[in-house]
Each structure stands twice: as C-alpha cells, then as structure tokens.
Amino acid sequence: TQMDPEESLAMSRWIWAAAVGICGYGAAQLMLGMTLAMHMAGRTTGFLMELFESMLMLMCILAVCRAALMLHRRLSTVARQIAGCWVRILVLVYAGMALKAVGGIMIFSTLADQNYESICFATYLFRWSMLVTLPLQCAAGFSISRIQAAAETYAGSRAIVGGYAYSLVFGYYLAGIGIWLGGYMDCVHEAFYAVAVCFVLAALGQLIAGTSLLMAINKVKEYNDRDAADAAIEGASIPTPKSLEADEGKTPTTIGAPVAASESGYNTS
C-alpha cells in the first residue's frame, strides 16, 4: 500500500517534532540536574531557574504527546496493523509524563515563592512523580520495541534502522532508571547530591532517545531514496514497445545480443 507523498511528509514532520521535543526535554532535565547540584554546593540563586526548567520540560513533553497523537491519527492501514495499540500507549505514557512534570513545577514554584506551608504536600507530589517515572519510561521503551519487532516481519532488517531502534529503547530505559534512582535517593537516603547526578543520568537517556529518533528518520529517508533509485533503474531496463519492434526478425547469439537473421546463417523462410 503506497502512502500519499504529502501524508508521508506530514508524518515525517510529526516524528521529527517528537524527536526535537524529546531532546528538548532531555536538555531541560540536564540543566535541572546541574542547577540542583549548584544548590547542593551552597550557591543559592533562588528556585526560579528550576521552576523555568520544569516548565520547559512540561512544554517539551506536551509537544511530544501531541506529535504522538497526530501520528496515531495519520497511520495508514498497513502501519496501523504493524503498530497495533502501541502508539496509543505511547500517547498515554507521554500524557502521564506531562502530569509528572506538573509535580516538579509545584515543588519549585512553592520553593521560589517561599510558601513553606505547602512545602510538605509539594514535596510529596514531587517524590511520587520521580518514582512513577520508571514504569512510564519502561512502558515507552517496551512499546517502541514491540513496534520494531512487528515491523521486522514486514521490512526485515531495515526495521532496526541501522541499530537506532535499539538505542532509542535503551535511552528510554536509562531515563526511567535515572529518575527512579533520584527519587529513591531523595526519599530513603536524602542524598541530594546523588539526586542531581541521577537527574543528569536521566537527561543523558532522554538525549540518547531523541538523537536516536532523529538518526532513525534520516536512515528511513536514506532507505526511501535508495528504493526510488532502484525503481528508476529497473524501470529503465524494461524493454519498450519500440525496442521490441526493432528486435523483430533477429535471432539471439551465444552471448545474448540479437543479430539479423541473414547474418546468423539461418533461413527463416
């Protein structure tokens, strides 16, 4: 089933938007880990920077959620059979991550406003938001792996897109483990330096996932260009009616080149 070129271009743009959103989320998370480390080192700059970074994370993950939703709505019949329910699960995962990002906004807005009456509730939500990140990120990674496995029966080894499908899944798992460890260190050990390090680790996982998706887009484009070139070469090698008419009355030689019957020594009458 051939997809309309304009529809294919639109889907590529939404995938690209999702990849950029994931990279933006990872970059904001990396900055958040660095500013938290600065606070642990005693450099107090208020919590406005952390609040800004948390809001940036929310906007990025909402952009990813919207891109995944638009992709789900634009899937072709064949693509929908391959993806199954997994793209819908990705949409739900990103929506859950957006809700999780609200927890970060609440804690840092409370600290920036110095509203210490609400700090306990904000801290409670923030810690839970870190702990639930692991199942959300693992669900995203597992969904991508299931889509890749289903696509492999249709596209063969091309489904791993040069290995970037594996690094995409790895990035999701790494991000989930990093944030979960941060929540564990915060809740159980109150090791705030370790929390900052875990945030940086999770950010690296997000950046790996985002860049892998960008590279996968380029790899798919390379496959499509190669297929178009092969189709053009194959089309040029098919005999046209004029060439068939010109070869009429000729017999094949031992090397396959047609020659006139009079030249071959055979009497065709």
Side-chain angles (χ1 to χ4, degrees):
T1 304
Q2 292 291 333
M3 182 181 292
D4 181 70
E6 293 185 1
E7 191 72 14
S8 178
L9 180 61
M11 289 193 66
S12 298
R13 287 173 177 172
W14 283 117
I15 297 174
W16 185 86
V20 172
I22 295 172
C23 288
Y25 184 89
Q29 199 170 57
L30 181 62
M31 291 189 294
L32 181 59
M34 294 173 65
T35 50
L36 285 175
M38 290 173 59
H39 274 291
M40 298 305 107
R43 298 181 181 179
T44 57
T45 58
F47 288 91
L48 290 177
M49 181 60 70
E50 285 88 343
L51 177 59
F52 169 75
E53 291 158 355
S54 298
M55 294 178 67
L56 183 60
M57 289 170 63
L58 176 61
M59 289 187 291
C60 288
I61 205 63
L62 284 175
V64 178
C65 183
R66 182 170 183 263
L69 180 61
M70 295 303 295
L71 282 170
H72 174 68
R73 294 176 58 184
R74 291 173 177 267
L75 286 176
S76 65
T77 303
V78 174
R80 197 173 296 277
Q81 291 175 353
I82 293 173
C85 64
W86 298 112
V87 177
R88 189 182 298 112
I89 292 175
L90 283 174
V91 175
L92 295 176
V93 165
Y94 292 131
M97 290 179 63
L99 290 175
K100 178 197 75 69
V102 174
I105 293 176
M106 289 188 64
I107 180 65
F108 293 121
S109 61
T110 302
L111 291 172
D113 192 42
Q114 296 184 352
N115 183 9
Y116 298 110
E117 294 180 358
S118 305
I119 190 67
C120 290
F121 180 67
T123 302
Y124 175 79
L125 289 181
F126 180 62
R127 286 176 172 176
W128 267 109
S129 69
M130 288 192 291
L131 293 176
V132 300
T133 298
L134 179 62
L136 289 174
Q137 294 282 9
C138 288
F142 185 75
S143 298
I144 294 295
S145 66
R146 290 297 86 205
I147 294 173
Q148 181 268 325
E152 197 166 347
T153 62
Y154 178 79
S157 60
R158 285 188 173 188
I160 64 175
V161 283
Y164 294 115
Y166 297 144
S167 58
L168 175 61
V169 174
F170 171 77
Y172 276 123
Y173 284 127
L174 180 62
I177 292 172
I179 292 295
W180 185 88
L181 282 176
Y184 173 77
M185 291 296 179
D186 183 28
C187 296
V188 179
H189 301 286
E190 296 185 352
F192 301 115
Y193 272 116
V195 174
V197 173
C198 290
F199 266 73
V200 172
L201 181 66
L204 293 177
Q206 292 287 351
L207 291 173
I208 289 173
T211 53
S212 297
L213 188 54
L214 286 173
M215 296 303 294
I217 295 171
N218 293 332
K219 198 69 177 179
V220 170
K221 185 177 182 298
E222 178 184 326
Y223 289 153
N224 292 337
D225 292 342
R226 189 185 306 169
D227 289 343
D230 292 343
I233 294 174
E234 184 179 350
S237 64
I238 298 175
T240 61
K242 284 189 176 182
S243 64
L244 291 174
E245 183 179 350
D247 290 340
E248 188 177 356
K250 297 182 178 180
T251 58
T253 64
T254 56
I255 60 174
V259 297
S262 58
E263 297 175 1
S264 63
Y266 291 97
N267 186 5
T268 58
S269 58

